[in-house]
Amino acid sequence: MLALTFFLLRPLTPNAQSSGETLYLPLVSQPLFEPLPSDQQDHIQWVLDEAPYPAVSAQAVTLSVGEHEYLFLLGGAEQFNPQTKRVEQTKRVTRVELHENGDLGSWSSVGDLQELPRRLHGFTATAVNNRIYVLGGMYYPAGGGLPKFNNTAYCAEINEDGTFARWEAKQQNWYFDDGASYNYEKSMAYHAAVYLNDHLYVIGGLRRGLYFSQSWDATKFVFSAEVGDSCDALDWQQEQGLPEPLRGHSAVALERASGSEHDIYLFGGITNNQNNPTAVSLRAKVGVNGIEGWTDQPVIPGSAGIHAGTAVRSDEYVYFIAGTTQYDATQGPARDNVYRTKILPDGELQPWQEANSLAHLYGHAAAVSTWDRLYIVGGAIITNSTQLPTPQNTIYWTPLLFFSKESEPAGAVFPGETIQFRFTIRSNNVRDLPSLVISDTLPSNLELVSAPNFVQNGRLLHSISITLPVNSQAWQTLTAVVIQPETPVSNDSPSATATETALPTNTATLTVTSTPTAVPPTATPPIRPTDDKSCVLPEAAPDSGTPRPKPTCTPTPVVTVSVMPTSTITVTPTETDTPPPIPTDTTTPTTVPEPVVVINVAQLCFEGRCIWTSTVINAENRLFLPQIAK
C-alpha cells in the first residue's frame, strides 16, 4: 500500500456545524484498536537535530508569541579547559522557530540577538508569557579567582519576530520571615525555578555564606515573587522551605484549570550531608497563600539520586532525564536513562518507570516541553574521571504520534470500483492524547459509500473525537466508489478544501480502551464495469510500488454462420440500373475503461490544530504522481 506523507502548517479554527451535515452511524465498532506489540512498550521514538553550538549547563525555554513558537538557547559552556578543567562559559543567546509539526526552522546567527550580560553557569531561565527571566548563577571574574554569584535578575521582552531590544537588569529585594539575612549573599546557583499562578518560585540551590569553609553549602530556602505584565523589580517573599538543603535539582509546576490549589514537583540533587546525590522526590501544594507543605513522592529508581538531571512535564506525565552522579563532572560518569511518571488526579505521582534511554551518556542537558512535545538540548558525554566531558550540540525531540493513510486497492482504479481508505494513529508513548479528529476531503471523482463515526459536510468529513492512550494505536475507515469526473482532476483541489474548511464543534468522543484487540475490517471487493470482453482480474494489488496491472482481457469469439442457397433466381435488369445499398456496420465499438487518478488528502487534528497530513494516490503509474499532489 502506498502512503505519501506531507506536513500542513495552517491552523484550523473550530466553528459551528451547519445544518446540512450528516452523521454516519457506526457499521462496526470504531475506532478499531489494539495495543502496540510488547517490544514497543514504553518506547519513544526520538528525532535528532542540532543546536548551533555545544552547550553544557545551558538553559532552554520556549515561547509562543503571536502565531510563532520559538525555542531559545541561552548561555552555558561550549567547552572544558584542559588546563583548569573548568567550563568555559558563553554569553551566547540564539533561537529557532518551531513549526507546528515539531520540526526546527533555521537558528538565528551570531549577533542577531542580544547576548547575556554575563557568562553564566548554574543559572535558570524561565518563560513568563512573552518574557524570559534569567535568575542567579555564577560567573568567573576577569582577573581569575573563585567564582562570584550573579546578584542581578535579567529580563527580556520578546517581539513577535523572536527578537528583543535588550536585557533589562532588575532590582531584587529579599524578605525573610524573621527579618534576618542569615549572612547569605542575595543570590543562588544550581537552584530550581518555576512559574506558577503569576509567581516565580526559586527553590534551594547553592548560596554564598559558608561557601569558603564548606564545599557543599546547599540551602533549603524557597522564595516567590509576583510578576506583572512587564519586566518589573522582583520582591522575593520567603516560602516554606525544603525538608533539607538541596542543590543541583530540577522542578516542574502544574497549574490546574480549576480550583485554587496547584503543585510543584522537585527531583534529584545533592545535600550538604554527603558527597553523593540524594534520592529526593517531593511535591508541594501551592494555595492562595503560597506553599502549604512538602510531601515525599516515589523516588527515581536505579540510584540513590541524580545531580544535574532535568525534569520536564508533558501534560499529566513527568519525565526525568538522568544527569551525573557527582557534582564535579570529571569525577564520575553520566547516566543515559529516561524515566517517566504520571500525575494522578489527586496530585500524587505514580511509581517511576524507565523509558528507553538516549543514544549517549548525557549530563547537564536542558529540557523543555512545548505543545507537549519534549526537547532535550545539549549536555555533555561523561564517561569516566580520566577524561574531560565532551560538550554536545545534539537535540532530541519527540513527535506525539504518527499518522498514516492507506488505500485498498493501492494501485490503479476504474469507474465503478470501490476503494476503502484506512487511517492509522499510533502513539509515540509521550502522553495520553484526547481530542484527536481525522479530517478528510473527498475528491470530485469519489462518491461516499460509508464512513463509520464520521460527520459529513459536503465533501468534507470529520471523525468524532478520539482519545488515544499511551502505548496504543487506533484506526478509522471510510469507503467510496470511483466515478468518472466531469472535468480533469485538479493538481491542488484535494488539499485546498481541506486546508480552508473549519472543524465542526462535534462534542461526541470515542475513547480507546486498553483491553480489546480488534481485527481491521476487510476491504469491499472491487466492482468493475463489464463490456464485450472477458477479463481476468489480478487477485491483489502489488505492494512494491509498481503499477497495478490492467485486467487481462480476450475478445469475445465471433460465430460465423454459412447458408447454402436452395435456388437460383435470375433478375432481368430494368432500364435504369439501381446501385446496391452501401452496407451499414451496426456493430457498437468496444470501449476500454480508463483508470481514474484519485488523490486523497487526510489530516489529523489535535486540540483544534491540524498538523499531520497524509496523502494517498491511486493511479496506473504512480512514479511521477507526487508532482500532482504538490
Side-chain angles (χ1 to χ4, degrees), residues 135 174 188 191-193 200-204 207 221-224 236:
L135 304 173
W174 300 87
M188 61 277 155
H191 56 288
L200 278 169
Y201 289 82
V202 292
I203 306 165
R207 285 178 179 264
F221 292 133
V222 179
F223 290 88
S224 68
W236 295 102

Side-chain angles (χ1 to χ4, degrees), residues 214-492:
Q214 184 174 339
S215 297
W216 313 112
D217 191 20
T219 73
K220 60 181 180 180
F221 292 133
V222 179
F223 290 88
S224 68
E226 186 174 3
V227 293
D229 296 330
S230 60
C231 293
D232 296 322
L234 297 174
D235 292 329
W236 295 102
Q237 306 290 334
Q238 189 175 0
E239 298 276 353
Q240 182 169 336
L242 299 171
E244 58 184 332
L246 198 65
R247 59 117 175 107
H249 48 285
S250 185
V252 299
L254 175 62
E255 185 169 333
R256 302 184 186 279
S258 60
S260 58
E261 189 176 275
H262 311 289
D263 291 290
I264 296 174
Y265 299 90
L266 184 148
F267 312 104
I270 297 176
T271 71
N272 290 333
N273 300 326
Q274 55 185 0
N275 186 10
N276 284 304
T278 304
V280 173
S281 182
L282 298 171
R283 172 197 179 192
K285 295 181 180 181
V286 183
V288 292
N289 296 320
I291 293 178
E292 299 174 353
W294 296 87
T295 57
D296 291 330
Q297 296 295 303
V299 298
I300 300 168
S303 174
I306 304 168
H307 172 69
T310 308
V312 60
R313 183 175 65 84
S314 175
D315 197 58
E316 73 272 34
Y317 286 89
V318 178
Y319 287 84
F320 191 87
I321 295 88
T324 62
T325 56
Q326 299 291 333
Y327 169 72
D328 189 337
T330 64
Q331 293 182 1
R335 301 177 60 183
D336 60 354
N337 310 83
V338 178
Y339 298 96
R340 180 180 68 200
T341 185
K342 185 175 183 180
I343 303 173
L344 300 174
D346 63 358
E348 296 293 292
L349 297 181
Q350 283 184 339
W352 291 84
Q353 295 178 333
E354 184 172 357
N356 56 305
S357 61
L358 302 178
H360 301 285
L361 299 172
Y362 270 71
H364 298 267
V368 291
S369 175
T370 178
W371 233 57
D372 297 323
R373 297 181 295 258
L374 306 178
Y375 291 83
I376 302 175
V377 186
I381 297 177
I382 309 171
T383 55
N384 55 58
S385 60
T386 62
Q387 296 179 339
L388 288 175
T390 305
Q392 299 296 299
N393 68 339
T394 308
I395 296 177
Y396 291 86
W397 69 273
T398 61
L400 291 178
L401 51 77
F402 303 98
F403 175 59
S404 63
K405 178 180 181 180
E406 300 166 312
S407 68
E408 177 59 43
V413 291
F414 297 82
E417 185 169 0
T418 300
I419 305 179
Q420 184 179 77
F421 295 101
R422 173 173 165 170
F423 314 93
T424 302
I425 311 171
R426 182 169 65 85
S427 167
N428 196 24
N429 297 327
V430 176
R431 54 155 291 189
D432 299 331
L433 296 168
S435 305
L436 296 174
V437 175
I438 299 171
S439 174
D440 187 277
T441 301
L442 288 177
S444 59
N445 49 15
L446 289 183
E447 192 68 39
L448 187 66
V449 174
S450 67
N453 288 335
F454 276 83
V455 174
Q456 183 182 10
N457 185 2
R459 306 203 68 82
L460 182 63
L461 300 171
H462 287 296
S463 71
I464 66 176
S465 182
I466 301 169
T467 295
L468 186 70
V470 160
N471 198 54
S472 63
Q473 64 181 356
W475 58 83
Q476 295 273 15
T477 60
L478 66 84
T479 305
V481 66
V482 181
I483 59 176
Q484 187 66 50
E486 297 180 1
T487 58
V489 178
S490 172
N491 288 359
D492 57 359

Side-chain angles (χ1 to χ4, degrees), residues 85-154:
K85 295 186 177 181
R86 296 192 317 196
V87 292
E88 295 187 354
Q89 298 137 246
T90 178
K91 297 181 179 179
R92 187 166 177 180
V93 177
T94 184
R95 64 106 176 90
V96 63
E97 185 168 0
L98 301 177
H99 298 155
E100 283 189 324
N101 59 15
D103 286 342
L104 281 68
S106 299
W107 288 89
S108 59
S109 302
V110 174
D112 287 351
L113 300 178
Q114 294 291 325
E115 293 183 332
L116 291 173
R118 288 173 170 166
R119 302 177 187 272
L120 297 173
H121 70 281
F123 68 102
T124 58
T126 308
V128 178
N129 299 324
N130 65 330
R131 284 161 285 154
I132 299 176
Y133 283 90
V134 171
L135 304 173
M138 293 190 294
Y139 65 96
Y140 293 101
L146 293 172
K148 293 183 175 294
F149 284 82
N150 169 42
N151 292 323
T152 305
Y154 299 104

Side-chain angles (χ1 to χ4, degrees), residues 159-173:
N159 302 316
E160 189 167 346
D161 62 356
T163 62
F164 55 93
R166 63 188 182 280
W167 288 101
E168 299 182 27
K170 309 309 298 182
Q171 180 182 350
Q172 299 187 91
N173 303 306

Side-chain angles (χ1 to χ4, degrees), residues 540-558:
D543 294 326
S544 60
T546 59
R548 179 183 177 92
K550 289 184 179 179
T552 303
C553 302
T554 57
T556 304
V558 179

Side-chain angles (χ1 to χ4, degrees), residues 578-584:
T578 303
I582 300 174
T584 303

